[in-house]
Amino acid sequence: MTEIEPETPKVQTGHAVIQDYLKSLDGSPGVYRMLNGVGEVLYVGKARNLRNRVSNYARPSGHSGRIARMISETSSMMFLSTRTEVEALLLEQNLIKQLKPRYNVLMRDDKSFPNILISKDHPFPQIKKHRGRKSEKGSYFGPFASAGAVNRTLNQLQRVFLLRNCSDAMFQSRTRPCLQYQIKRCAAPCVGKISGEGYGALVADAERFLQGKSTNVQADLAVEMAKASEEMEFERAAALRDRIRALTNVQQAQGINPAGVPEADVIALHLEGGQACVQVFFIRANQSWGNRDFYPRTGSGAEAPEILEAFLTQFYDDKEPPRLILLSHMVDNEDLVALALAERAGRKVELAVPQRGEKAELVENAVRNARESLARKMAESSTQNKLLAGLAEAFDLEAPPSRIEVYDNSHIQGTNAVGGMIVAGPEGFLKSQYRKFNIKTAAGANSDDFGMMKEVLTRRFERLLKEDPERKTDIWPDLLLIDGGAGQVSAVAEIMAELGVDDVPFIGVAKGIDRDQGKEEFYRVGEPVFALQRNDPVLYFVQRLRDEAHRWAIGAHRAKRAKAVGATPLDDVPGVGAGRKRALLAHFGSAKAVSRAGVEDLKAVDGISEAMAQTIHDFFHAKG
């Protein structure tokens, strides 16, 4: 008798499933999640009234194609009530960033933006680039769109205001002026070339400039120059003249300087072919401090108002919004979004879509930039897709890879060994997915490249198996490229077999004859070595991937080596952080001198209590 297996019950989806939830919902604000039959979150939404919002999805008709598809896949829902709609909005965006649902709009680039910091924890403040939390005491100016924009502005400010950029430890150790003083980029307060009062005036002028009062600064410098000339202080007058010229060049070099917009972010969206580009311009102190473009995932066909609303709430999740945000399209819930941003900033935030005048011109310029950026991105994506298809054909892959991971190691005779992983796909290099691996086993010390590769891949795939064993997300690679030949490929095959991962193809890339670029050889398990034609675009593509992995690994190694060079025994003392370390080195001159100091001498350092002085003394005493 033939045994008949019972049929797997079909998971119910669609309007009827959603309708069942209405019985238990009330009119409170909150957040809802729509899930498919295998538990994947399809969509996260907010509601002023949960019952009313969900009843809209329960209707059998009247939906856009995108919403209709989402409803048809929904087999269950989850709900969370909140006190206010603002809380629901903020929670919604946190869940979107965490869960990355398919039908939501998702901002995929979430890097912080750099600022300029004029520190205030030293008698002679330092001017420098700052990124991250604003925990250090001082005046912050920004955000700037990129590190390049900050560096250019810092370079200009040093020429005009002669502020130091050296560290406090370097400042303390100087006995004669450095090169910055010689090339007229620093007033050399470290060796008394300027008084504290005079340096304070330079700091005040720099802050006024960064606040948009450059005309006042220039006028004051002109008065000082005329006075110095009348008093026959011609050398000082010439120095002031040079500063005025530098300031004039700075003002001319600024791009868009809107006279009527002291502070705003200009955010413009362009949609085309189901893809979106959001362009953000930063206006601070009546000056343009650069722009950045973003390419949010549009949630399978979202419209402009929804995309911009999601972008605003996600973009300002960890950034302070300005007082005015100029938009190309108004968002669906203008008042709610403005209220949420105001709550985050602790002051009023205005959203506006200007129709005429200078503000409208700023938005129009941002829209044009968004349109041009998206056109370039789409052209690059088309080329990238052709290269991925060529790669699949050359390496006999089942389909063009969506995620390529490339691995390389870097070390000097086993010291400061680091493994690097870069990621590429249809959208090019995915730099937010890059990873560094500090080699922890004896492989690094033994200069064992095979051992290093084994450690890196083991750590990488053990984590993948732990976080996503069912491979429901896109974090699993479709192809591995390994820098090396037959030996590396054999080692990788052994590692993958141990891990039980037998369906991820991998290829070794070796330089080939005479280690000549262009004669690369490719190695696969059980296959003969092969090469591509020297003018094959796929070969150039693989070279770019390998070179990027090499650059990333070397950069990680150099950073680790530099950190090791700057390390001192003070790093291991409990309770001694960066601030106390600076204070101790500035007071004693070296870590060795700190180790020899008595408790009373240590107590004399600013910020070192009697208990901490005893801790430091005991640490070095115990070490002998």
Side-chain angles (χ1 to χ4, degrees), residues 406-421:
V406 191
Y407 293 86
D408 194 10
N409 299 321
S410 184
H411 62 95
I412 295 178
Q413 294 181 345
T415 62
N416 302 309
V418 176
M421 177 192 86

Side-chain angles (χ1 to χ4, degrees), residues 17-25 54 75-79:
V17 170
I18 297 172
Q19 181 74 39
D20 289 341
Y21 286 99
L22 291 175
K23 303 169 187 176
S24 58
L25 291 177
V54 174
S75 67
S76 62
M77 296 184 72
M78 297 175 65
F79 303 92

Side-chain angles (χ1 to χ4, degrees), residues 92-316:
E92 174 200 35
Q93 296 308 324
N94 286 339
L95 288 173
I96 289 171
K97 293 173 78 171
Q98 176 186 340
L99 300 172
K100 300 177 175 56
R102 187 195 322 162
Y103 286 95
N104 280 103
V105 175
L106 180 67
M107 192 186 90
R108 291 181 282 193
D109 186 353
D110 196 24
K111 295 178 181 176
S112 62
F113 292 90
N115 290 264
I116 285 177
L117 168 63
I118 298 180
S119 63
K120 295 295 177 65
D121 57 356
H122 193 280
F124 294 95
Q126 173 193 12
I127 187 168
K128 60 183 178 180
K129 177 173 62 180
H130 176 87
R131 194 190 289 269
R133 290 181 57 215
K134 297 179 180 179
S135 55
E136 193 171 340
K137 185 179 178 182
S139 300
Y140 292 85
F141 301 93
F144 287 80
S146 65
V150 170
N151 292 337
R152 286 191 297 272
T153 304
L154 283 173
N155 183 42
Q156 294 160 351
L157 288 172
Q158 283 182 261
R159 285 185 350 204
V160 176
F161 301 109
L162 310 179
L163 301 186
R164 72 178 181 95
N165 65 351
C166 60
S167 67
D168 292 348
M170 178 68 74
F171 179 94
Q172 190 73 22
S173 65
R174 296 302 304 182
T175 57
R176 56 192 178 90
C178 67
L179 181 62
Q180 293 291 314
Y181 174 76
Q182 305 296 336
I183 62 176
K184 299 181 180 179
R185 289 176 183 266
C186 180
C190 54
V191 291
K193 293 289 185 180
I194 188 172
S195 65
E197 183 180 352
Y199 191 83
L202 294 178
V203 171
D205 283 347
E207 291 183 331
R208 282 200 295 161
F209 172 79
L210 289 167
Q211 291 163 359
K213 301 172 183 175
S214 57
T215 306
N216 296 343
V217 173
Q218 195 163 2
D220 291 346
L221 290 175
V223 170
E224 282 188 55
M225 183 180 69
K227 182 180 178 183
S229 182
E230 288 174 7
E231 294 174 356
M232 296 188 180
E233 297 180 7
F234 298 118
E235 188 174 342
R236 181 166 173 267
L240 288 165
R241 178 203 62 205
D242 292 342
R243 289 177 60 195
I244 291 171
R245 285 179 179 172
L247 185 55
T248 302
N249 290 334
V250 170
Q251 292 166 331
Q252 291 173 346
Q254 295 287 350
I256 303 168
N257 292 327
V261 185
E263 176 188 308
D265 282 352
V266 184
I267 302 180
L269 167 70
H270 181 71
L271 271 171
E272 186 176 334
Q275 298 188 51
C277 176
V278 178
Q279 193 79 209
V280 182
F281 279 78
F282 302 102
I283 308 295
R284 298 293 185 274
N286 297 97
Q287 301 169 18
S288 174
W289 283 357
N291 65 298
R292 177 81 70 85
D293 49 2
F294 300 86
Y295 301 92
R297 193 187 68 191
T298 58
S300 301
E303 298 296 326
E306 182 182 352
I307 293 172
L308 270 184
E309 178 181 319
F311 179 84
L312 286 173
T313 48
Q314 292 176 39
F315 182 72
Y316 292 112

Side-chain angles (χ1 to χ4, degrees), residues 11 13 35-42 73-76 102 470 472:
V11 178
T13 60
L35 295 84
N36 65 11
V38 294
E40 293 175 336
V41 179
L42 300 171
E73 294 179 37
T74 300
S75 67
S76 62
R102 187 195 322 162
E470 303 298 327
K472 294 179 180 179

